[in-house]
Amino acid sequence: MMLDAAAVARLGEEVPLLEGIRTTRALRRLKPDPVPTGLIRKVCEAGTFAPSGGNRQPWRFIAVTEQARRAWVAERYQRAFHAYIGPALAAAREPSYPEAQRRNVLSALHLADHLAEAPVLLFVAGWMRRDMPQTQALFPAIQNILLACRAVGLGASLTTIHTSFGAEVDAWLGLPEGCPTCAMLPIGWPRGTYRRPVRNSIDQCLFYERYQQEV
Amino acid sequence: MMLDAAAVARLGEEVPLLEGIRTTRALRRLKPDPVPTGLIRKVCEAGTFAPSGGNRQPWRFIAVTEQARRAWVAERYQRAFHAYIGPALAAAREPSYPEAQRRNVLSALHLADHLAEAPVLLFVAGWMRRDMPQTQALFPAIQNILLACRAVGLGASLTTIHTSFGAEVDAWLGLPEGCPTCAMLPIGWPRGTYRRPVRNSIDQCLFYERYQQEV
């Protein structure tokens, strides 16, 4: 998809906030078509409006788009994924496994086996403070990016599996000491569509005044 | 503000997603007027649409609204805030201190000194996994709630200062072992208005292929 600057600026601006929140789900089946740089910039800019302690804005975004570099990540990611998910994968193939969870596992498997095809691997890193990652700022920024992808029609999902080889990735990305990656978002034009994901009722997790034993 | 169920369902539905993201800022000066229960439920429901590993949905929300209970939190919060922010507060009163940061510190101070007036203190807790809080799910859920507050016109902000007396709060809220609070969102009708917050340019924190030394 070719988009001039004006088209990039307009794209997704009309999507409503609450409806967008309710219909943002992980889209892990992505087309290999490239994503315009202006659009990567637009969704990452949404990330910068997240809150951060003392407005320190610790986030740093690194968009990996070169084919050979994506393949480098994909090879390691696939290996880590299969090591991590192996047991769950066998269970998910049993007929008795809950269908919604099976779809979830199989979609994650598809992503792992086709990661090199995702046109953008967006790494989110962040400056640490007092030797701690500022996750309370980085994950709100990530959620803003996922919602912005929803708005402009890009498919995206949040993964943290690469952290099992995080030090290797951080060095490969040229990140300085004290600014590790915490997540990777594979982004591209989706094969699936946005819609309301499967969730428990809010009434199962909202309490007034005091937590009540769950039934 | 009295709102029937239909009005709660309609409220904020027209706010655009991207513009909402860009104009969500911490609103810490809140009116004491109560927030309808249906609206607390509506913004928390937005939280449940965040992604979570294996769709485990570890979040639990506890809305503290009773006056005496809010005062219990406020007394401890104020003490923790002043212990934490004391040195920064003195610096922020110097004429040479950057104006945007000064406003930020003074707004946080106002919140700490008036916390008992906030009609809702929303605690966000989460089930741990492998002895770790699932922060990569809880903070996206929190960001969804902050954005939903923006949509319906409620003022909100993200605080973590209560974690300095977190064990005491968790016991007081009746939370079970393995499900600690990670954040508190004071929520109410705002005295201020939503607008674009002060942020660095995206071009200072977005990189392609490799991180580049910052200037």
Side-chain angles (χ1 to χ4, degrees):
Chain A
M1 193 189 292
M2 294 298 292
L3 292 169
D4 63 18
V8 165
R10 272 194 314 272
L11 196 62
E13 295 292 329
E14 73 298 334
V15 175
L17 173 47
L18 289 167
E19 187 54 22
I21 285 176
R22 294 184 197 113
T23 54
T24 294
R25 64 183 189 104
L27 289 179
R28 303 192 184 93
R29 293 183 168 86
L30 304 172
K31 299 176 187 168
D33 313 56
V35 175
T37 302
L39 219 42
I40 300 174
R41 185 178 180 280
K42 177 167 175 154
V43 299
C44 288
E45 186 180 35
T48 67
F49 290 102
S52 60
N55 200 21
R56 279 182 295 272
Q57 309 169 58
W59 40 72
R60 296 296 180 270
F61 310 114
I62 303 104
V64 172
T65 65
E66 289 173 7
Q67 167 112 48
R69 290 179 65 76
R70 288 185 281 129
W72 185 95
V73 177
E75 184 193 326
R76 285 157 182 81
Y77 184 94
Q78 189 179 35
R79 209 181 307 139
F81 178 86
H82 282 274
Y84 175 74
I85 212 80
L89 208 51
R93 285 178 167 137
E94 296 292 324
S96 61
Y97 202 76
E99 188 53 32
Q101 281 173 251
R102 188 203 325 275
R103 281 204 308 271
N104 210 20
V105 171
L106 292 181
S107 143
L109 173 65
H110 177 93
L111 180 69
D113 289 345
H114 297 80
L115 191 67
E117 296 166 27
V120 182
L121 300 180
L122 182 68
F123 286 92
V124 178
W127 287 102
M128 302 208 294
R129 184 164 189 258
R130 299 176 178 174
D131 289 327
M132 301 271 283
Q134 302 185 55
T135 49
Q136 75 284 7
L138 301 180
F139 284 96
I142 287 167
Q143 181 64 8
N144 273 1
I145 294 174
L146 294 173
L147 293 170
C149 285
R150 160 72 184 85
V152 303
L154 285 168
S157 56
L158 165 56
T159 73
T160 56
I161 282 182
H162 85 277
T163 55
S164 70
F165 53 100
E168 188 185 5
V169 166
D170 295 351
W172 176 79
L173 290 171
L175 282 163
E177 191 76 19
C179 189
T181 54
C182 69
M184 179 181 76
L185 284 55
I187 297 176
W189 300 106
R191 296 189 194 276
T193 52
Y194 281 112
R195 61 167 181 266
R196 209 172 166 107
V198 176
R199 292 291 187 272
N200 300 328
S201 162
I202 175 62
D203 299 311
Q204 287 179 255
C205 57
L206 172 59
F207 306 91
Y208 294 92
E209 310 310 335
R210 286 170 198 79
Y211 176 86
Q212 304 289 331
Q213 188 77 42
E214 298 172 42
V215 286
Chain B
M1 194 190 288
M2 294 299 292
L3 291 170
D4 64 18
V8 165
R10 272 194 314 271
L11 196 63
E13 294 294 329
E14 73 298 334
V15 175
L17 174 47
L18 289 167
E19 187 55 19
I21 285 177
R22 294 184 196 114
T23 54
T24 295
R25 65 183 188 104
L27 288 179
R28 303 193 186 93
R29 292 182 168 87
L30 304 172
K31 299 176 187 167
D33 312 57
V35 175
T37 303
L39 219 42
I40 298 175
R41 185 178 180 280
K42 178 167 175 155
V43 299
C44 287
E45 186 179 36
T48 67
F49 291 101
S52 60
N55 200 21
R56 279 182 295 270
Q57 309 169 60
W59 40 72
R60 295 297 179 270
F61 310 114
I62 303 105
V64 172
T65 65
E66 290 173 6
Q67 168 113 48
R69 289 179 67 75
R70 290 184 279 129
W72 187 94
V73 177
E75 185 192 325
R76 286 156 182 81
Y77 183 93
Q78 189 179 33
R79 210 181 306 139
F81 178 85
H82 283 274
Y84 176 72
I85 211 82
L89 208 51
R93 286 180 166 135
E94 297 290 325
S96 61
Y97 202 74
E99 189 51 33
Q101 281 171 252
R102 189 203 324 275
R103 280 202 309 271
N104 210 19
V105 171
L106 293 182
S107 142
L109 173 65
H110 177 93
L111 179 70
D113 288 345
H114 297 80
L115 192 67
E117 295 166 28
V120 181
L121 300 181
L122 182 69
F123 286 92
V124 178
W127 287 103
M128 303 209 292
R129 184 163 188 257
R130 299 176 179 176
D131 288 329
M132 300 271 284
Q134 302 186 54
T135 48
Q136 76 286 8
L138 301 180
F139 283 96
I142 288 167
Q143 181 63 8
N144 273 1
I145 294 175
L146 294 173
L147 292 170
C149 286
R150 160 71 184 84
V152 302
L154 285 169
S157 56
L158 164 56
T159 72
T160 57
I161 282 183
H162 85 277
T163 55
S164 70
F165 53 99
E168 188 186 4
V169 166
D170 295 350
W172 176 79
L173 289 171
L175 283 163
E177 191 76 19
C179 188
T181 53
C182 69
M184 179 181 75
L185 284 55
I187 298 177
W189 301 106
R191 296 188 195 277
T193 53
Y194 281 112
R195 59 167 182 265
R196 209 173 165 107
V198 176
R199 292 291 187 274
N200 300 329
S201 162
I202 176 62
D203 299 311
Q204 287 179 254
C205 56
L206 172 59
F207 305 91
Y208 294 91
E209 310 309 335
R210 284 170 199 81
Y211 175 85
Q212 304 290 332
Q213 188 78 40
E214 296 172 43
V215 286

